Amino acid sequence: MLAAQVTEWNKGNIDGYMKGYWQSDSLVFIGSKGPRYGYNATLQRYKEAYPDTAHTGKLTSVITSMRKLSDEYYFVIGTWALQRSAGDISGSYTLLIRKINGDWVIICDHSS
């Protein structure tokens, strides 16, 4: 699922990238402007921050730690980088991933 997100991002497909997130009002995304709650608010945040391919650029994501918490939860730590014409940026993330109805999805994302 995480690799599929990178593939979709690098196509400029934010909607495809978002398939890795829990489609629920209980999704939590924490970025530089504080927490956003819910799938729709998170999708809107991505579309505002990355309006075109000059801003999406090419994503690289490296998982530095993945810890199984139970049969349905993982805690992931990693780094991300965007090479883009609008200026390169990078940071770190922590994810709480849960298996829901047979699919692994991000239920909490703290990216900086």
Side-chain angles (χ1 to χ4, degrees):
M1 176 271 293
L2 295 173
Q5 279 191 300
V6 171
T7 298
E8 293 303 317
W9 184 275
N10 289 336
K11 291 179 189 175
N13 183 2
I14 291 177
D15 291 312
Y17 173 82
M18 286 294 296
K19 289 182 180 181
Y21 285 94
W22 187 23
Q23 292 189 30
S24 169
D25 289 341
S26 296
L27 170 67
V28 179
F29 178 90
I30 305 162
S32 62
K33 295 182 180 179
R36 299 255 180 146
Y37 300 95
Y39 180 88
N40 290 331
T42 301
L43 175 60
Q44 179 183 347
R45 178 253 178 229
Y46 272 113
K47 288 189 173 187
E48 289 170 359
Y50 305 98
D52 53 37
T53 56
H55 289 85
T56 55
K58 181 178 179 192
L59 173 64
T60 303
S61 177
V62 177
I63 295 171
T64 57
S65 173
M66 182 179 281
R67 180 174 298 161
K68 183 177 183 178
L69 303 177
S70 72
D71 287 340
E72 64 180 57
Y73 286 95
Y74 274 86
F75 182 72
V76 179
I77 300 172
T79 60
W80 61 271
L82 288 178
Q83 290 182 306
R84 57 193 199 153
S85 58
D88 295 350
I89 56 174
S90 62
S92 299
Y93 61 83
T94 57
L95 306 173
L96 183 58
I97 299 175
R98 182 177 178 196
K99 193 172 195 177
I100 299 176
N101 298 323
D103 294 320
W104 291 101
V105 291
I106 299 165
I107 64 170
C108 184
D109 178 342
H110 183 189
S111 294
S112 59

